[in-house]
């Protein structure tokens, strides 16, 4: 509701109160000299008036509550004293007695000021109207006859309806339009009650005529009436409670979620107890902590399900500790608490005040072992009532059933959860994801995107660092995915290290995929190991054309494409299916080239310089393929294919042979530099490799220390038992092993000592990071690597140096060797030969140095 209209409503209430008060005052002075209409009891006003006040107060105790909207409306038996008062005392006494009784009641019930104002004015006005109309109509008389009674009943009922209408219009002002049904509810029950009350009053009057016997009978009748009303009221409530319990048992058990259960049941309880708010709190475990009144004990986490007057279920989490002693008492000792509005207990008053509620009932919910709960009902609706022992008893009868319903619903929820979720990460599983995909495709706009990713080289983590670390890494990945994706995304673990994400809608799917890859690639530190969970992400989006595309398969194709091209993200397109076929053709061509046309394999050489002396230390041999129809292909196009098909086992010897031969020719020409050749995982698991290298060195006649073999950590870690012996044999030949692409993947600095390497090449992504956004942290990282290199006596090479500033900075940090476009691009054999001579001539300082001197 808007503020202004609320303010407006308040103003209207005030104006209406003033009008009612004015009408009351006007009418009272107008008939100020009138005498009582009936003189059946000969008692003086000073006796009758207090008796009347007492009767009004008594009548207020027999409330009948009609609740709707955000209010409970109390209809009272005030009709009885109204009929008696209007007939037995003078109008003025009558109005004043009514007003005094109302004020006393309000004060006892601690009602707020504007309500007192309006209700006081309304009561006075009602009494004044009753008195005025009846006095104008009837003359004083000595006995009651049918006519008198009819007039009295009709006037009182009519004025009562008028007042009810006024109240309704106020509600309308405050809370918006009312339905005809709601209006009828109030008016009909008001009419019925005022008739019953008036009839009751007539009986009282008839009895009073008979003097002292009559008074006795009146008391008897009131006692019986009161008893009957109370009996009726409690029977009715017990009946409602039973119905509710029945519903708990039939609806509650097996509700598919706690939310569904709670929104049904809590709203019923709220209505039954006429409360503003009902809250269920559930605590799982940690109950022992609650009893310790020490600040150092962690508060206990609790789940809360709350329903308020808007009937919207709010699920929340909060903490409880010993300071919420009433909740704790219920949770730990299962002891209930009744905190009535009128309570004198200072502890209870304080508790209510701290929580900003007027009154509350708290009872324990006996959940299964290890869990406990409370049911709290707060703020009885209506102005005059508060919670009583009765309400506590009623709630307690309900809690057993409520607890059973909660227990079984939680079980159902858990079973359902287990069937649809991955137990390690808590993400959805494949079945659930497929279900969600179908659901999204068949509802709403039908637009959706699926991201699919797996971690690069996850198997190594499991193999080397153990399954424990593997599991921890998967959990970290799950947490990162959840944290970086919008809440409407379904994140699933499909198995192993494969994850998928369903995004309703297709906008920014590619951006989110980039974000996912970025977020995952932050290094994680686990004890000794620093892991960088890199991944390639395949994206598939609906295009509104094909009916129900197979998004998962398309995302899988895209992911494969991303990996094959060493890209982090690829979005599926139909050409990718064609790409697959092309790749197959390329593999066949490569096989043919290696066996029949090895001359198609060309080597380019990229120089490396010593940063202190500026001299060329050696070159890295990088292969290209002069494909007969596709032109010259870079290694990215075919090395991954060669690796996955095993063709690399034929390629590497070619490169090795050609690289070593070239190196020998430069030596002959007076440039005794080194040559570096890249090895793949398959090569270093091949036990024959050391023998082959030895033969090549011998045949070509090159000192072994001119040969550098580049390996990557991940290719070693794939199968260390197989690869480490090979590496040691290579080192024993006298060739230098170089750890390539260092800092990417699952680099573990501590692992470095175990590898027989003499050189580390810092990956170009870090080197280029020196001029990027995170330059400070990159710098720190490179410094650490350089420091470690010094400790372990390793030569540190920086790859990918593209400008002078980077070159200078690396030199400043103590890096020994640099390679990169700034120095030279990879060059074909003859071009390198020219470059070497030009460099030697152009810069006298660039003397050529042989490796190791
Ligand atoms: P790599 O071993 O990291 O080789 C360095 C790559 O970085 C080369 O790409 C090189 O051209 C590029 N590069 C050098 N300086 C710069 C620079 O300043 N900026 C940038 N942006 N890039 C620079 P290339 O030649 O495309 O080779 C790509 C990868 O293919 C190599 O990465 C290596 O992993 C693989 N590769 C190349 N030749 C062979 C081979 O004979 N055998 C095996 N197994 N793999 C090879
Ligand atoms: Ca390399
Ligand atoms: Ca590299």
């Amino acid at each position: 509701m808007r503020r202004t209209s609320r303010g407006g409503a308040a103003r209207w209430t005030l104006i209406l109160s003033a009008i009612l008060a004015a009408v009351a005052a006007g009418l009272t002075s107008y008939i100020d000299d009138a005498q009582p209409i009936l003189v059946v009891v000969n008692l003086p006003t000073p006796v009758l008036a207090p008796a009347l006040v007492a009767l009004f107060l008594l009548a207020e105790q027999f409330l009948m509550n009609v609740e709707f909207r955000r209010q409970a409306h109390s209809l009272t038996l005030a009709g009885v004293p109204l009929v008696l008062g209007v007939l037995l005392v003078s109008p003025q006494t009558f109005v004043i007695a009514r007003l005094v009784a109302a004020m006393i009641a309000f004060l006892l019930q601690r009602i707020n000021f504007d309500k007192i104002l309006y209700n006081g004015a309304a009561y006075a006005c009602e009494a004044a109207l009753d008195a005025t109309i009846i006095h104008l109509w009837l003359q004083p008389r000595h006995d009651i006859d049918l006519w008198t009674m009819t007039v009295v009943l009709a006037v009182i009922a009519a004025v009562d309806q008028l007042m009810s209408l006024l109240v309704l219009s106020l509600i309308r002002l405050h809370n918006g339009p009312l339905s005809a049904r709601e209006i009828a509810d109030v008016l009909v029950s008001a009419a019925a009650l005022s008739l019953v009350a008036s009839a009751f009053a007539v009986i009282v009057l008839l009895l009073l005529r008979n003097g002292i016997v009559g008074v006795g009978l009146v008391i008897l009748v009131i006692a019986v009436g009161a008893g009957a009303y109370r009996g009726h009221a409690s029977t009715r409530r017990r009946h409602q409670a039973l119905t509710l319990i029945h519903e708990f048992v039939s609806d509650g058990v097996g509700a598919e979620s706690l939310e569904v259960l709670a929104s049904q049941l809590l709203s019923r309880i709220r209505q039954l107890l006429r409360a503003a708010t009902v809250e269920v709190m559930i605590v799982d475990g940690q109950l022992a902590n609650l009893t310790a009144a020490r600040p150092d004990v962690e508060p206990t986490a609790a789940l809360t399900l709350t329903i308020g007057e808007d009937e919207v279920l709010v699920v929340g989490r909060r903490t409880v500790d010993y300071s919420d002693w009433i909740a704790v008492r219920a949770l730990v000792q299962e002891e209930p608490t009744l905190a009535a509005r009128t309570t004198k207990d200072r502890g209870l008053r304080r508790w209510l005040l701290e929580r900003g509620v007027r009154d509350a009932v708290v009872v324990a919910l006996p959940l299964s072992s290890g869990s406990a709960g409370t049911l709290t009902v707060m703020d009885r609706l209506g102005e005059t009532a508060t919670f009583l022992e009765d309400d506590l008893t009623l709630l307690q009868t309900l809690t057993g059933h409520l607890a059973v319903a909660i227990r079984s619903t939680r079980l159902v929820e858990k079973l359902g959860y287990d069937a649809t979720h991955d137990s390690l990460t808590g993400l959805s599983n494949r079945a659930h994801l497929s279900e969600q995909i179908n659901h999204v495709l068949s509802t709403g706009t039908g637009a959706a995107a699926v991201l699919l990713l797996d971690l690069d080289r996850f198997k190594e983590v499991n193999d080397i660092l153990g399954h424990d670390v593997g599991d921890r890494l998967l959990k970290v990945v799950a947490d990162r995915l959840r944290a970086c994706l919008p809440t409407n995304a379904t994140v699933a673990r499909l198995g192993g290290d494969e994850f998928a994400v369903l995004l309703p809608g297709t906008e920014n799917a590619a951006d989110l995929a980039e974000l996912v890859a970025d977020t995952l690639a932050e290094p994680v530190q686990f004890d000794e190991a620093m892991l960088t969970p890199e991944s390639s992400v395949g994206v598939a989006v609906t295009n509104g054309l094909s009916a129900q595309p197979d998004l998962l398969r398309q995302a899988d194709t895209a992911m494969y494409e991303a990996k094959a091209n060493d890209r982090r993200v690829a979005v599926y397109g139909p050409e990718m299916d064609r790409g697959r076929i092309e790749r197959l053709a390329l593999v066949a061509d490569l096989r043919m080239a290696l066996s029949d046309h090895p001359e198609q394999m060309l080597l380019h050489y990229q120089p490396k310089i010593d940063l202190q002396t500026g001299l060329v230390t050696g070159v890295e041999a990088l292969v290209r393929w002069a494909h007969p129809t596709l032109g010259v292909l870079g290694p990215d196009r075919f090395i991954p294919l060669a690796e996955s098909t095993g063709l690399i086992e034929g390629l590497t010897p070619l490169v090795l042979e050609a690289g070593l031969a070239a190196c020998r020719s430069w030596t002959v020409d007076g440039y005794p530099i080194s040559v570096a050749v890249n090895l793949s995982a398959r090569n270093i698991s091949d036990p024959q490799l050391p023998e082959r290298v030895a033969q090549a060195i011998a045949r070509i006649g090159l000192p072994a220390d001119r040969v550098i073999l580049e390996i990557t950590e991940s290719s070693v870690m794939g199968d260390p038992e197989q690869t480490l012996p090979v590496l040691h044999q290579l080192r024993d030949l006298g060739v230098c092993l170089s750890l390539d692409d260092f800092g990417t993947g699952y680099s573990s600095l501590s692992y470095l000592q175990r590898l027989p390497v003499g050189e580390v090449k810092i990956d170009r992504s870090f080197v280029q990071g020196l001029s990027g956004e995170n330059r400070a942290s990159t710098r720190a990282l490179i410094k650490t690597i350089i420091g470690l290199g010094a400790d372990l006596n390793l030569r540190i090479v920086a790859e990918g140096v593209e400008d002078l500033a980077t070159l200078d900075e690396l030199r400043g940090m103590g890096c020994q060797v640099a390679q990169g476009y700034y120095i030279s691009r990879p060059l074909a054999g003859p071009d390198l030969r020219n470059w070497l001579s030009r460099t030697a001539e152009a810069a006298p300082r660039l003397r050529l140095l042989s490796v190791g001197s």
Side-chain angles (χ1 to χ4, degrees):
M1 173 158 294
R2 278 170 302 129
R3 236 163 222 278
T4 47
S5 66
R6 209 177 245 301
R11 201 166 50 242
W12 273 110
T13 310
L14 214 64
I15 294 173
L16 199 59
S17 307
I19 295 175
L20 288 175
V23 170
L27 289 175
T28 315
S29 55
Y30 172 64
I31 45 159
D32 117 22
D33 54 345
Q35 292 305 301
I37 290 185
L38 267 185
V39 197
V40 279
V41 270
N42 287 317
L43 289 172
T45 307
V47 178
L48 276 179
L52 197 59
V53 170
L55 264 182
F56 271 120
L57 284 174
L58 192 66
E60 295 284 349
Q61 300 309 304
F62 300 100
L63 298 175
M64 202 161 110
N65 284 283
V66 188
E67 193 212 331
F68 72 96
R69 288 304 174 85
R70 327 185 71 217
Q71 314 264 339
H73 299 279
S74 310
L75 304 174
T76 68
L77 285 181
V80 178
L82 274 181
V83 172
L84 296 179
V86 85
L87 293 176
L88 298 182
V89 298
S90 75
Q92 218 163 20
T93 315
F94 174 59
V95 174
I96 289 168
R98 179 78 183 105
L99 201 57
V100 169
M103 289 305 158
I104 294 175
F106 295 155
L107 287 179
L108 288 179
Q109 292 151 357
R110 303 171 209 278
I111 291 175
N112 68 15
F113 180 73
D114 2 325
K115 296 234 170 157
I116 292 189
L117 208 63
Y118 174 78
N119 283 323
Y123 282 168
C125 183
E126 180 181 22
L129 272 173
D130 285 342
T132 313
I133 299 169
I134 288 168
H135 276 267
L136 287 179
W137 208 325
L138 300 173
Q139 297 307 310
R141 58 200 59 214
H142 289 279
D143 206 355
I144 345 170
D145 50 37
L146 194 61
W147 173 238
T148 317
M149 278 345 295
T150 316
V151 169
V152 169
L153 291 193
V155 169
I156 285 184
V159 172
D160 188 68
Q161 292 283 300
L162 179 70
M163 298 319 287
S164 297
L165 277 172
L166 271 180
V167 171
L168 284 172
S169 57
L170 274 186
I171 293 173
R172 206 211 113 95
L173 255 171
H174 282 274
N175 297 323
L178 299 156
S179 74
R181 187 134 181 232
E182 285 171 325
I183 297 174
D185 263 0
V186 171
L187 293 186
V188 169
S189 31
L193 200 70
S194 85
L195 281 177
V196 169
S198 308
F200 188 75
V202 173
I203 298 171
V204 170
L205 272 180
L206 289 173
L207 290 173
L208 280 181
R209 265 195 326 189
N210 300 328
I212 192 76
V213 184
V215 174
L217 283 174
V218 164
I219 292 170
L220 188 71
V221 166
I222 289 179
V224 169
Y229 175 78
R230 291 241 146 170
H232 162 76
S234 79
T235 316
R236 206 180 62 164
R237 297 220 313 141
R238 214 161 292 146
H239 179 75
Q240 287 174 336
L242 278 175
T243 320
L244 196 60
I245 287 172
H246 177 74
E247 283 170 1
F248 273 17
V249 177
S250 52
D251 295 357
V253 176
E256 80 249 44
S257 77
L258 202 54
E259 279 84 354
V260 172
L261 177 84
S263 58
Q264 288 167 0
L265 297 188
L266 297 192
S267 119
R268 309 303 285 271
I269 293 178
R270 194 180 80 74
Q271 277 156 20
L272 186 66
L273 279 125
R274 300 194 312 278
T277 314
V278 177
E279 179 193 85
V280 161
M281 178 165 79
I282 299 175
V283 172
D284 291 313
Q286 292 178 296
L287 282 173
N289 281 0
L290 283 174
T291 41
R294 295 205 322 264
D296 58 312
V297 170
E298 289 231 335
T300 299
L303 171 76
T304 56
L305 302 144
T306 315
I307 223 160
E309 288 176 88
D310 51 9
E311 293 282 316
V312 175
L313 180 78
V314 178
V315 181
R317 298 208 164 261
R318 66 172 156 95
T319 54
V320 251
D321 60 17
Y322 62 90
S323 71
D324 190 353
W325 57 279
I326 291 187
V328 171
R329 199 158 72 163
L331 288 168
V332 180
Q333 280 121 278
E334 302 206 347
E335 220 180 285
T337 304
L338 169 68
R341 193 182 305 186
T342 48
T343 182
K344 298 279 177 298
D345 184 311
R346 295 182 61 177
L348 289 180
R349 295 197 64 81
R350 201 163 143 190
W351 185 87
L352 289 173
L353 205 69
E354 279 169 1
R355 269 143 202 87
V357 294
R358 292 188 305 200
D359 44 9
V361 189
V362 183
V363 293
L365 280 179
L367 298 176
S368 51
S369 56
S371 299
T374 60
L375 173 65
T376 306
V377 175
M378 285 164 278
D379 283 325
R380 161 129 304 165
L381 291 173
E383 294 315 325
T384 51
T386 182
F387 297 115
L388 303 171
E389 279 298 331
D390 249 15
D391 299 292
L392 182 73
T393 320
L394 181 66
L395 265 192
Q396 278 181 308
T397 33
L398 291 177
T399 51
H401 298 273
L402 183 60
V404 170
I406 288 180
R407 272 206 304 256
S408 58
T409 305
R410 295 223 294 171
L411 189 67
V412 169
E413 246 183 3
K414 183 170 162 15
L415 292 177
Y417 183 88
D418 288 351
T420 52
H421 287 77
D422 168 43
S423 59
L424 177 69
T425 59
L427 298 178
S428 297
N429 60 15
R430 184 185 286 271
H432 189 229
L433 182 80
S434 305
E435 201 178 288
Q436 294 296 108
I437 293 177
N438 289 338
H439 176 74
V440 169
L441 289 183
S442 57
T443 55
T445 59
V450 168
L451 316 184
L452 191 80
L453 59 115
D454 69 18
L455 304 180
D456 297 342
R457 302 185 295 272
F458 177 70
K459 187 174 171 294
E460 292 157 25
V461 176
N462 268 339
D463 291 350
I464 319 270
L465 302 169
H467 287 266
D468 243 23
V469 175
D471 285 355
R472 278 163 72 191
L473 182 65
L474 290 175
K475 281 191 220 166
V476 168
V477 169
D479 290 345
R480 288 181 176 180
L481 284 173
R482 262 191 295 245
C484 77
L485 289 162
T487 46
N488 65 353
T490 305
V491 185
R493 177 173 166 231
L494 302 184
D497 62 339
E498 210 181 3
F499 293 85
V501 179
L502 165 69
L503 299 164
T506 56
E507 302 109 65
N508 29 351
D511 292 345
L512 281 171
E514 294 280 356
L515 179 70
V516 162
D518 273 351
T519 311
L520 292 191
E522 288 283 312
V524 212
Q525 189 79 42
F526 285 146
D527 311 327
E528 292 272 82
M530 205 213 0
L531 308 184
T532 308
E534 288 186 344
S535 57
S536 300
V537 187
V539 184
V541 294
T542 49
N543 56 12
L545 295 176
S546 54
Q548 301 270 335
D550 189 349
L551 287 179
L552 262 179
R553 188 196 63 77
Q554 294 181 348
D556 190 53
T557 305
M559 181 180 80
Y560 183 85
E561 194 77 12
K563 278 197 193 305
N565 296 312
D566 213 9
R567 294 216 319 265
R568 297 197 320 163
V569 173
V571 180
Y572 173 82
E575 76 285 351
M576 284 185 180
D577 291 322
R578 257 173 275 138
R580 265 195 171 166
I581 296 164
E582 278 165 17
R583 270 194 301 276
L584 284 178
L586 209 56
V587 169
D589 293 350
L590 185 62
R591 180 167 286 123
M592 182 101 87
L594 291 177
S595 62
D596 302 344
H597 301 283
E599 73 284 357
Q600 289 181 3
M601 296 297 142
L602 308 175
L603 285 191
H604 282 199
Y605 305 95
Q606 187 174 32
K608 295 181 279 186
I609 60 162
D610 184 304
L611 279 172
Q612 299 307 318
T613 62
L615 302 176
V616 179
T617 65
V619 296
E620 178 178 2
L622 296 159
V623 70
R624 276 93 180 93
W625 177 14
H627 189 276
T629 55
L630 298 174
V632 176
L633 303 179
D636 294 343
R637 285 288 296 277
F638 62 95
I639 292 285
L641 288 181
E643 285 177 337
S644 62
T645 53
L647 291 174
I648 193 78
E649 286 172 47
L651 177 66
T652 302
L654 282 182
V655 175
L656 193 69
E657 200 87 9
L660 263 56
C663 185
R664 160 132 182 115
S665 71
W666 304 319
T667 309
V668 170
D669 289 351
Y671 305 108
I673 56 174
S674 67
V675 68
V677 170
N678 291 285
L679 299 183
S680 292
R682 275 199 201 235
N683 303 132
I684 56 170
S685 347
D686 176 5
Q688 324 244 288
L689 181 73
E691 179 58 31
R692 287 214 198 145
V693 174
Q695 283 174 3
I697 288 173
R699 194 171 56 246
I700 292 164
L702 195 71
D705 66 1
R706 292 282 180 71
V707 179
I708 298 174
L709 297 177
E710 298 194 1
I711 56 173
T712 61
E713 264 176 313
S714 56
S715 61
V716 180
M717 287 180 172
D719 188 1
E721 288 183 11
Q722 185 91 15
T723 56
L724 283 176
V726 173
L727 296 183
H728 278 101
Q729 289 170 40
L730 287 171
R731 204 250 329 250
D732 293 347
L733 288 178
V735 304
C736 172
L737 293 179
S738 172
L739 198 58
D740 201 0
D741 302 341
F742 190 76
T744 61
Y746 305 109
S747 301
S748 139
L749 292 175
S750 65
Y751 201 74
L752 204 52
Q753 313 177 38
R754 291 179 52 195
L755 295 178
V757 295
E759 181 184 283
V760 168
K761 293 183 85 172
I762 304 175
D763 189 69
R764 63 170 179 271
S765 57
F766 289 102
V767 174
Q768 283 158 5
L770 279 178
S771 46
E773 249 170 61
N774 303 322
R775 68 180 68 186
S777 58
T778 309
R779 223 184 121 83
L781 201 114
I782 293 182
K783 275 208 127 146
T784 309
I785 300 176
I786 291 173
L788 192 84
D791 289 348
L792 297 176
N793 206 12
L794 297 170
R795 184 170 48 214
I796 303 295
V797 181
E799 295 188 301
V801 179
E802 292 185 350
D803 52 54
L804 182 62
T806 308
L807 190 84
D808 286 340
E809 188 165 9
L810 286 164
R811 181 189 293 119
M813 285 194 277
C815 178
Q816 288 129 314
V817 180
Q819 172 184 352
Y821 291 170
Y822 179 70
I823 298 150
S824 168
R825 295 204 166 238
L827 302 169
D831 295 339
L832 179 79
R833 181 65 187 69
N834 290 338
W835 185 86
L836 284 173
S837 65
R838 256 191 293 123
T839 309
E841 283 157 19
R845 281 218 59 233
L846 280 177
R847 255 188 317 122
L848 298 178
L849 256 189
S850 72
V851 182
S853 68

